[in-house]
Amino acid sequence: EVRLVESGGGLVQAGGSLRLSCAASGFTFDAYAIGWFRQAPGKGSERVSCISNSDGNTYYADSVKGRFTISSDNSKNTVYLQMNSLKPEDSAVYYCAADFRGLDACLYYGMDYWGKGTLVTVSS
């Protein structure tokens, strides 16, 4: 059974940092792409960042470039999203997702497996 469990969300002041974790199980982790997506209340889903565990390629949305860093620890089957210089507009539920089809799935096709999300709230 594929499982993705997010953690690390919380309340932080603007300018602060959080590190989200996505613990994965039930699939060949190093063959998959993992993506972070977010959804704020009343808004649509936004692709935040993606990483291909097979070749290490990454993607960042323009809104988070230079502030967020995605990384993967294949020994722990965990992907991290380090979020620095947080802004109130970063407040959202953050979801991690996985797909065997690589970075293209994250960018174009949609992801097969999803976690339940973790809430990030950035106060001004």
Side-chain angles (χ1 to χ4, degrees):
E1 177 192 3
V2 173
R3 268 192 97 205
L4 298 167
V5 180
E6 303 93 336
S7 61
L11 174 64
V12 64
Q13 287 189 331
S17 298
L18 283 174
R19 189 178 79 157
L20 305 184
S21 299
C22 173
S25 60
F27 60 93
T28 307
F29 183 77
D30 57 7
Y32 274 61
I34 306 291
W36 285 99
F37 297 76
R38 67 187 181 187
Q39 187 162 20
K43 296 190 176 181
S45 177
E46 178 187 10
R47 182 190 310 107
V48 175
S49 183
C50 312
I51 186 166
S52 168
N53 283 334
S54 60
D55 60 21
N57 285 339
T58 59
Y59 160 87
Y60 295 95
D62 287 343
S63 58
V64 307
K65 272 180 189 173
R67 301 188 297 122
F68 291 11
T69 303
I70 192 169
S71 62
S72 183
D73 186 339
N74 286 7
S75 69
K76 296 183 178 179
N77 283 12
T78 300
V79 168
Y80 303 98
L81 186 69
Q82 178 66 44
M83 306 187 297
N84 299 330
S85 302
L86 282 161
K87 305 174 181 179
E89 52 263 44
D90 294 317
S91 297
V93 178
Y94 283 70
Y95 300 89
C96 72
D99 199 287
F100 180 71
R101 295 170 292 176
L103 220 54
D104 282 352
C106 197
L107 298 178
Y108 308 117
Y109 308 146
M111 306 290 271
D112 274 345
Y113 304 107
W114 291 80
K116 295 184 178 181
T118 186
L119 178 64
V120 171
T121 304
V122 184
S123 63
S124 56

